[in-house]
Amino acid sequence: MTTRTCHSIVLAAGLGTRMKSDLPKVMHEIAGLPLVGHVLKALAQAGSERISVVVGPQMPDLEALVREITPSVNCYVQTDRLGTAHAALAAKSSLEQPADDVLVLFGDTPLVTPETISRVRDALANGADVVVLGFETSNPHGYGRLILSDNGLQAIREEKDASETERNITACNSGIMGFSGEKALSLLEAIGNSNAKGEYYLTDAVEIANAHGLNVTAVMGTEAETQGINTRTQLATCEAVFQQRRRENILDIGVTLLAPETVFFAHDTEIEPDVVVEQNVVFGPGVTVKSGARIRAFSHLEGAVVGAGSVVGPYARLRPGTVLGADTRVGNFVEVKNTTMGHGAKANHLSYIGDASVGSKSNIGAGTITCNYDGFLKHRTDIGESCFVGSNSTLVAPVRLDAGAFVAAGSTITDTVPEDAMAFGRSRQSVKEGRAKELRARLKAAKDKKS
């Protein structure tokens, strides 16, 4: 397979009208990645080195998105929506360039796997001129049926055109097709629009290829991975399938999920073996968790690295830019953003640490806040190794605590604390004897006067 070149065309011009959204359909997300992104990712993993995406008119955001996901993508515009073959031919100039394999997929099938795409390519490598990806289903209603014989795939029959016998066929069309590179353009150009809707249907390529004596075959995937998305309900269904598939994969590599059905992963979550994930944890995009770490219940992580042996949560939030070293502790109701924490550093309770660095073995007391924003700009707080920050302290950035510094509880720190120095940034306590009794009497009298 590695010696064969592959050009893939992804059809992504749908408006998503049934989703009741102004957003193009394929820009809706599953596991933090747009639908079309899942397809592009699977194609790249299946060895497609050239990808064209067909978009609708006035979809600059979609074009920008696909180029961000896969910079080498070429985008083509289908000005008039006249069917799937018409959409594929919007990329005609790319089809004129040589390729051994040509694949046509839909941008709203995010669950298709690289392995299944590779099976379509394998069939092409074994001599097929046209390959249709099908699936078996117990309820074929609404799907095009695959008319198979000993000689291969004879036709794809849409339900409205199928005979009673053909409607009982359970082998159905997924819409994903592969073509021999040297035959693809001629087959697509041979497709006509002599039908009730006057549209050009990609599936007609099967009968055209058979009429020319070409080798037409079908390979089978699963109904789950080939399902498309047209509604919010179907979007939610695909999200559930993705999550279940990902949970099984995570368990198989040696991760413990205490309640798998309550843990949600992003498309790119990376977790090493011997990690424990407790109940009700959400992983946003860009998270890596190293071996031996424990993510405790009700935590949310995004754009973060969790070091080996670290403990996060319960009820912790790691925001983008967070890098935790080995054996760190980020405890309950602690939020960390754009911060590095060194080996063995701790922030166990009720703190916000943003735009900061925390040295190894340092301890951040409960209620500590790094004041990183002045209303216009963000500023950094640098905390050295083996520092101790007492509870309810406020560190006003930009500020630095050198190694071994000690900040007394309740302090507001605005200046550098030198190495091994102790800083007090609070008013001295004043005690007024008997004042509490007088205050209670006065307040009670005021209340009695109102009632």
Side-chain angles (χ1 to χ4, degrees), residues 290-291 305-311 323-329 341-345 360-361:
K290 301 292 186 179
S291 181
V305 176
V306 179
S310 295
V311 178
V323 179
L324 305 183
D327 299 317
T328 56
R329 298 290 185 270
M341 295 182 66
H343 178 272
S360 63
K361 304 298 183 182

Side-chain angles (χ1 to χ4, degrees), residues 138-354:
S138 59
N139 180 18
H141 178 74
Y143 291 116
R145 311 302 204 278
L146 302 185
I147 311 300
L148 297 163
S149 73
D150 292 340
N151 295 321
L153 178 63
Q154 300 304 305
I156 299 174
R157 193 83 72 230
E158 297 304 324
E159 180 161 302
K160 63 181 183 300
D161 301 319
S163 66
E164 192 63 35
T165 299
E166 290 170 338
R167 287 179 182 174
N168 291 326
I169 293 172
T170 57
C172 297
N173 174 36
S174 74
I176 296 173
M177 297 181 68
F179 298 87
S180 163
E182 63 180 21
K183 305 285 196 325
L185 182 56
S186 61
L187 284 170
L188 291 173
E189 290 184 323
I191 294 172
N193 65 340
S194 298
N195 52 66
K197 290 189 174 182
E199 294 187 354
Y200 301 84
Y201 297 130
L202 193 62
T203 50
D204 288 351
V206 171
E207 293 190 62
I208 293 170
N210 276 309
H212 286 80
L214 300 180
N215 184 341
V216 184
T217 189
V219 298
M220 305 305 287
T222 66
E223 183 176 9
E225 71 174 313
T226 56
Q227 61 186 300
I229 295 173
N230 291 302
T231 67
R232 303 276 184 167
T233 298
Q234 291 170 342
L235 183 70
T237 298
C238 281
E239 177 77 45
V241 173
F242 177 93
Q243 293 298 335
Q244 184 58 30
R245 179 194 290 177
R246 194 73 179 97
R247 290 167 190 143
E248 292 172 0
N249 173 258
I250 290 290
L251 290 164
D252 286 344
I253 65 173
V255 175
T256 296
L257 305 179
L258 297 187
E261 69 281 2
T262 70
V263 179
F264 291 84
F265 297 99
H267 66 99
D268 58 354
T269 306
E270 296 182 9
I271 304 185
E272 294 183 355
D274 291 324
V275 168
V276 176
V277 182
E278 296 182 3
Q279 300 89 340
N280 297 293
V281 172
V282 176
F283 294 94
V287 175
T288 298
V289 185
K290 301 292 186 179
S291 181
R294 189 179 190 100
I295 312 300
R296 302 194 65 187
F298 296 98
S299 294
H300 186 284
L301 297 79
E302 180 178 359
V305 176
V306 179
S310 295
V311 178
V312 175
Y315 294 98
R317 184 182 182 196
L318 302 187
R319 292 172 57 192
T322 296
V323 179
L324 305 183
D327 299 317
T328 56
R329 298 290 185 270
V330 174
N332 50 290
F333 302 104
V334 174
E335 179 179 346
V336 185
K337 188 268 291 186
N338 193 29
T339 291
T340 59
M341 295 182 66
H343 178 272
K346 298 178 181 179
N348 277 326
H349 321 279
L350 304 162
S351 295
Y352 170 69
I353 308 170

Side-chain angles (χ1 to χ4, degrees), residues 1 4-11 39 42-44 46-53 88 91 94-95 99-106 112-114 116-125 130-133 175-181 184 188 202 219:
M1 183 64 70
R4 294 179 64 85
T5 58
C6 182
H7 171 216
S8 299
I9 301 174
V10 179
L11 308 184
V39 179
L43 285 170
S48 181
E49 71 281 358
R50 186 154 58 90
I51 302 175
S52 300
V53 176
S94 69
L95 285 164
D100 294 314
D101 305 333
V102 172
L103 306 178
V104 181
L105 302 89
F106 294 90
V112 66
T113 65
T116 295
I117 294 171
S118 293
R119 289 175 56 227
V120 174
R121 294 194 63 196
D122 287 340
L124 293 170
V130 177
V131 181
V132 172
L133 178 63
I176 296 173
M177 297 181 68
F179 298 87
S180 163
L188 291 173
L202 193 62
V219 298

Side-chain angles (χ1 to χ4, degrees), residues 430-443:
S430 175
V431 178
K432 306 294 184 182
E433 295 289 345
R435 185 66 59 85
K437 183 177 181 180
E438 295 173 8
L439 180 61
R440 283 194 296 270
R442 186 166 69 249
L443 293 174

